């Protein structure tokens, strides 16, 4: 992803490139994007971590390379989201968003809901300067856990799922 114009972003995924014209105030200091079907319509949508405004912007696909002009912005509750993943953390069938908040000591979880909506971020403490977040079942309970690589602290944090 690169910012080619103050009001557009160019996303490159595998062998294609898509330029999306957006309001730069909505995607301020866009750091990273991911693609997934957030609203259940079988089309890949985009989510963008915005470090400058501490939120995630969701851009919904209309198919054939076009995207909705309506953007959804969700506050992370943390400072400087730098890494972004999607995973169904609570087993409700909706993808959730997770950011590592590099300017703080936490990761944010934004629970997904019907229609690709996300709740405001809930922060969970990790080490200083979390740079990257990942998910895997670390303890064999068939639930996704979170792993944060904390650049400021020089360590790794593990957050085990508490879902039943």
């Amino acid at each position: 992803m690169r910012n080619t114009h103050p009001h557009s972003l160019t996303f490159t995924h595998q062998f294609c490139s898509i330029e999306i014209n957006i309001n730069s105030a909505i995607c301020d200091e866009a750091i990273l994007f991911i693609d997934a079907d957030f609203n259940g319509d079988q089309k890949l949508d985009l989510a963008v971590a915005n470090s400058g405004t501490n939120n995630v912007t969701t851009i919904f696909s209309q198919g054939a390379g076009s995207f909705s002009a309506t953007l959804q912005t969700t506050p992370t509750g943390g400072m400087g989201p730098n890494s972004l993943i999607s995973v169904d953390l609570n087993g409700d069938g909706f993808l959730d968003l997770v950011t590592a908040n590099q300017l703080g000591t936490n990761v944010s979880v934004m629970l997904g809901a019907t229609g690709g909506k996300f709740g405001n971020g809930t922060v969970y403490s990790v080490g200083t300067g979390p740079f990257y977040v990942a998910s895997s079942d670390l303890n064999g309970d068939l639930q996704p856990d979170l792993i944060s690589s904390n650049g400021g602290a020089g360590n790794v944090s593990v957050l085990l799922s508490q879902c039943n």
Side-chain angles (χ1 to χ4, degrees):
M1 179 183 68
R2 62 188 164 90
N3 209 343
T4 59
H5 181 271
H7 299 287
S8 70
L9 291 175
T10 299
F11 297 94
T12 303
H13 184 264
Q14 294 179 352
F15 300 107
C16 66
S17 179
I18 300 170
E19 185 164 328
I20 301 173
N21 293 316
I22 57 172
N23 180 338
S24 62
I26 294 173
C27 286
D28 186 27
E29 292 182 43
I31 296 293
L32 177 78
F33 84 98
I34 58 172
D35 61 345
D37 181 10
F38 297 117
N39 57 2
D41 65 358
Q42 307 299 310
K43 298 173 189 147
L44 288 177
D45 308 307
L46 300 173
V48 182
N50 302 303
S51 184
T53 50
N54 302 314
N55 60 35
V56 173
T57 301
T58 310
I59 307 167
F60 297 104
S61 174
Q62 294 179 323
S66 66
F67 290 83
S68 172
T70 304
L71 306 178
Q72 174 181 293
T73 302
T74 306
T76 64
M79 299 292 291
N82 187 66
S83 176
L84 174 65
I85 62 169
S86 64
V87 59
D88 183 5
L89 290 171
N90 57 359
D92 63 358
F94 300 110
L95 287 173
D96 308 311
L97 297 174
V98 183
T99 62
N101 303 312
Q102 187 177 16
L103 300 179
T105 58
N106 54 50
V107 297
S108 297
V109 173
M110 292 142 285
L111 296 177
T114 304
K117 295 185 184 332
F118 295 95
N120 290 351
T122 300
V123 295
Y124 295 91
S125 293
V126 294
T128 303
F131 186 76
Y132 185 77
V133 65
S135 177
S136 184
D137 179 10
L138 297 174
N139 58 356
D141 65 355
L142 303 179
Q143 301 294 322
D145 305 307
L146 296 176
I147 308 102
S148 171
S149 125
N150 309 310
N155 63 20
V156 173
S157 296
V158 174
L159 300 171
L160 296 176
S161 174
Q162 302 297 311
C163 294
N164 295 326

